[in-house]
Amino acid sequence: MKTVRVREQWGTGKAAINSWLTLPSALTTEMVAQQGFDALTIDMQHGAIGYETALSMLQAIATTSATPLVRIPWLAPDMAMKMLDAGAWGIICPMINTPEEVEALVRYCHYPPAGERSFGPLRAETCYGADYLALANDYVLPIAMIETREALANLDRILQVPGLGGIYIGPYDLSYALGCQPAPDCYEQPVLDAIDHILARAQHYGVPAGMHCLSADYAVAMAQKGFQLVTAGSDSGWLQQGAKTAQCVLRQARLG
């Protein structure tokens, strides 16, 4: 079966570098995937992406060794199972607040007897091999987003749920939850303290911790801090920044 690059990175003690995908396009996905990221996350919560497009994006990612992850819109078994069947190796679920919700996420991602995922890996078995069913429970990553006060209060219990594949900090919603205003890769002290606390508790329990970053520089800093999955930007962000940079050059030259 095809290796899961994120797990390989973790096995060697390295952070996995992730890119966020928000644009509903297999072509832009393929372009980003070819840049050598360890993982790419298809954002079905806030991105403009539906199932059929997500499927084509997963196929584009498969032209590389990057691990395909999907952020689903909410804790729902149908979406989690459908994206796993389509070939995702990990499900990132937003707004997880309790250990009971983590237990549900783990069940949705794992086949019996460990979980309740329904059998039907239409594309997953096709692209990963006939041994997919036997190995899927060991490879699929159920990843819970930590981004609320309730999640912080339940953090130790969340991190002790068997089968949890990792946690992922959503710093914008975490900022709102703590009464702060989020800014790109620049957070107020209560948020920074919470980020450090989440990372320390995850390390204590041996659970891989991920951090959402909007720039490569901030991703480097978070990896050096100890995060094992760091997002280094998004397709839409790079498109906007590239266009803005070009426009600034043109304006300065008085061409427009």
Side-chain angles (χ1 to χ4, degrees), residues 20 44 47 68 85 89 118 141 196 201 213:
W20 211 248
M44 300 185 73
D85 289 345
W89 272 125
S118 175
L141 293 165
D196 287 343
R201 299 316 293 163
C213 309

Coordinates of all heavy atoms in Angstrom, one line a residue, residues 20 44 47 68 85 89 118 141 196 201 213:
W20 N -2.8 24.4 2.7 CA -4.2 24.5 2.8 C -4.8 24.7 1.4 O -4.3 25.6 0.7 CB -4.6 25.6 3.8 CG -5.9 25.4 4.5 CD1 -7.0 26.1 4.4 CD2 -6.1 24.4 5.6 NE1 -8.0 25.6 5.3 CE2 -7.4 24.6 6.1 CE3 -5.3 23.5 6.2 CZ2 -8.0 23.9 7.1 CZ3 -5.8 22.7 7.2 CH2 -7.2 22.9 7.7
M44 N -13.2 21.7 3.3 CA -14.6 21.7 2.9 C -15.5 22.4 4.0 O -16.7 22.4 3.8 CB -15.0 20.2 2.8 CG -14.3 19.5 1.7 SD -14.9 17.8 1.4 CE -16.4 18.2 0.5
G47 N -13.7 26.5 2.7 CA -13.3 26.6 1.3 C -14.6 26.5 0.4 O -15.6 26.0 0.9
P68 N -3.0 13.2 1.5 CA -4.2 14.0 1.4 C -5.0 14.0 2.7 O -5.4 12.9 3.2 CB -5.0 13.3 0.3 CG -4.5 11.9 0.3 CD -3.1 11.9 0.8
D85 N -13.5 7.2 1.9 CA -13.7 6.3 0.8 C -13.1 6.9 -0.5 O -12.7 6.2 -1.4 CB -15.2 6.0 0.6 CG -15.8 5.2 1.6 OD1 -15.0 4.5 2.4 OD2 -17.1 5.1 1.8
W89 N -6.5 10.4 3.7 CA -5.8 9.6 4.8 C -6.0 10.2 6.1 O -5.7 9.6 7.1 CB -4.3 9.6 4.5 CG -3.9 8.4 3.6 CD1 -3.2 8.5 2.5 CD2 -4.2 7.0 3.8 NE1 -3.0 7.3 1.9 CE2 -3.6 6.3 2.7 CE3 -4.8 6.3 4.8 CZ2 -3.6 4.9 2.6 CZ3 -4.9 4.9 4.7 CH2 -4.3 4.3 3.6
S118 N -18.5 2.5 7.6 CA -19.2 1.5 6.7 C -18.2 1.1 5.6 O -17.4 1.9 5.2 CB -20.4 2.1 6.1 OG -21.0 1.3 5.2
L141 N -6.0 9.0 10.0 CA -5.7 9.9 11.1 C -7.0 10.7 11.4 O -7.4 11.6 10.6 CB -4.7 10.9 10.7 CG -3.2 10.3 10.6 CD1 -2.3 11.4 9.8 CD2 -2.7 10.0 11.9
D196 N 0.6 27.4 23.6 CA 1.7 26.8 24.3 C 1.2 25.7 25.2 O 1.7 24.6 25.4 CB 2.5 27.8 25.1 CG 3.4 28.6 24.3 OD1 3.6 28.3 23.1 OD2 3.9 29.7 24.8
R201 N 0.4 19.9 26.6 CA -0.4 18.8 27.0 C -0.4 17.7 25.9 O -0.4 16.5 26.2 CB -1.8 19.2 27.3 CG -2.0 20.3 28.4 CD -1.1 19.9 29.6 NE -1.6 18.7 30.3 CZ -0.9 18.0 31.1 NH1 0.3 18.3 31.4 NH2 -1.4 16.9 31.7
C213 N -1.0 27.9 10.2 CA -0.2 29.1 10.0 C -0.5 29.7 8.6 O -0.9 28.9 7.7 CB 1.3 28.8 10.0 SG 1.8 27.9 11.6

